[in-house]
Amino acid sequence: MTSPAYAAHFGLKDAPFTKEIADTDLWLPSSKESLVADLVEALREHASIVLTGEPGVGKTCVLRALRQRLPNTGFRLTYCHNATLGRRDFYRQICLALGLSPSATAAAVFWAVSTHVQDLGRERLHHPVFLLDEAHLLHQDTLDHLHILLNYEWDSRALLSLVLVGLPELQNRLELRRNRSLYSRVHCRLAIPATSPEDTAEYLRHRLKHVGADREVLTTDAVAMLHEAASGSLRDLDRLTTAAMREAARRKKKLVERDVIARVLDSQDSQEA
């Protein structure tokens, strides 16, 4: 694949801020490294987890790092990303992810999932982990039922771990009286912090080095300006830095400086006005 023109201008072999990056090449600051370690430890203890964070702070990166670091032996990780389904279709989605044949009725689908979990528990070979992304969008009828999925053998054994991931409003929903049966069973409650200025600088260097940068591409002032503009969101940081590099390449500049960032931000403000 040919590298984009702006990347070639800076001597890079590919676009530095694409989503297409292998799990092994992901970057996490020390704060998120410790967060992933906490997640792995909680799952080793067969706990359920709620993980919240603002948009763009790196929830997906944390989940991908968790997938990489959770031992393949002993765990069966099932990822469900469509949280807007009703209860029956939600469990049908889990059935398909588990390789089970989904049944027609909600009760039959739930029975298939819960029986499968019990079978894994008896084998004691693979602890199932259901990772529910965008969980703040879960229908209330699904939330009403999830605590039943965690109740096995008179609530005496943790045969399944739920990992509920979403925006901060997920925490608010779980704290409602209606959801206390589920929330009381989620013992590990974590929040992803916003990215610090040091994190931003390290992240940009890492992604640029990954595609062959052997010199500085952004000035210190430009990095500080990008961090402030992105408000700690890595997703916005990717978008703004890419736009700034394109603008610098168009102007035949080999270094992205504050004036380029200012031009990009002014253009963005004009489009939003």
Side-chain angles (χ1 to χ4, degrees):
M1 182 183 298
T2 304
S3 64
Y6 78 90
H9 171 80
F10 288 100
L12 308 178
K13 60 187 179 183
D14 203 351
F17 301 105
T18 175
K19 292 196 295 185
E20 298 176 4
I21 185 169
D23 289 356
T24 53
D25 295 323
L26 286 173
W27 169 90
L28 288 173
S30 57
S31 60
K32 291 185 175 63
E33 289 281 1
S34 60
L35 183 65
V36 173
D38 289 342
L39 290 169
V40 171
E41 182 179 357
L43 292 179
R44 286 185 183 277
E45 296 173 356
H46 295 181
S48 287
I49 301 165
V50 58
L51 176 65
T52 58
E54 295 288 351
V57 296
K59 292 190 292 295
T60 301
C61 287
V62 168
L63 297 182
R64 291 177 64 184
L66 173 64
R67 178 178 65 183
Q68 181 192 7
R69 297 172 198 186
L70 196 65
N72 291 328
T73 55
F75 292 93
R76 179 168 295 176
L77 184 63
T78 301
Y79 177 76
C80 300
H81 66 279
N82 191 349
T84 62
L85 300 172
R87 190 173 72 192
R88 185 191 67 173
D89 288 336
F90 173 79
Y91 280 116
R92 285 173 62 86
Q93 176 183 239
I94 291 181
C95 273
L96 291 171
L98 291 171
L100 305 174
S101 297
S103 303
T105 67
V109 173
F110 175 77
W111 176 258
V113 172
S114 59
T115 300
H116 180 73
V117 169
Q118 286 178 306
D119 289 343
L120 289 176
R122 277 193 291 269
E123 294 170 5
R124 297 181 182 274
L125 296 176
H126 300 287
H127 179 68
V129 178
F130 289 172
L131 199 157
L132 309 182
D133 204 357
E134 306 292 345
H136 57 281
L137 299 176
L138 284 168
H139 285 198
Q140 186 58 50
D141 65 339
T142 303
L143 277 177
D144 288 342
H145 206 256
L146 279 180
H147 74 277
I148 302 174
L149 194 59
L150 293 174
N151 188 350
Y152 292 96
E153 298 186 13
W154 299 81
D155 210 13
S156 65
R157 292 187 64 195
L159 300 184
L160 164 70
S161 291
L162 284 178
V163 182
L164 303 174
V165 183
L167 299 180
E169 46 260 45
L170 171 62
Q171 181 78 26
N172 299 333
R173 291 189 67 190
L174 291 173
E175 290 174 352
L176 294 174
R177 182 177 180 85
R178 179 171 182 174
N179 298 319
R180 63 181 181 179
S181 291
L182 171 61
Y183 196 43
S184 66
R185 289 174 167 83
V186 181
H187 294 160
C188 184
R189 304 164 184 178
L190 301 170
I192 301 179
T195 305
S196 70
E198 294 76 18
D199 292 340
T200 294
E202 185 182 342
Y203 171 76
L204 293 172
R205 283 195 299 271
H206 173 85
R207 294 300 294 266
L208 287 164
K209 184 178 179 181
H210 178 69
V211 293
D214 56 5
R215 62 177 178 83
E216 291 297 329
V217 174
L218 301 111
T219 65
T220 302
D221 286 349
V223 171
M225 200 169 180
L226 282 167
H227 174 79
E228 183 176 352
S231 301
S233 167
L234 294 180
R235 190 178 301 128
D236 287 341
L237 183 64
D238 287 348
R239 175 178 56 80
L240 292 172
T241 307
T242 298
M245 292 178 67
R246 289 185 188 278
E247 177 66 18
R250 281 194 292 266
R251 298 172 67 188
K252 310 300 184 184
K253 300 184 68 167
K254 290 295 185 180
L255 194 62
V256 179
E257 299 176 292
R258 281 182 63 91
D259 64 314
V260 174
I261 307 300
R263 184 182 293 264
V264 167
L265 295 177
D266 287 343
S267 175
Q268 174 183 269
D269 290 341
S270 298
Q271 292 173 8
E272 293 177 352

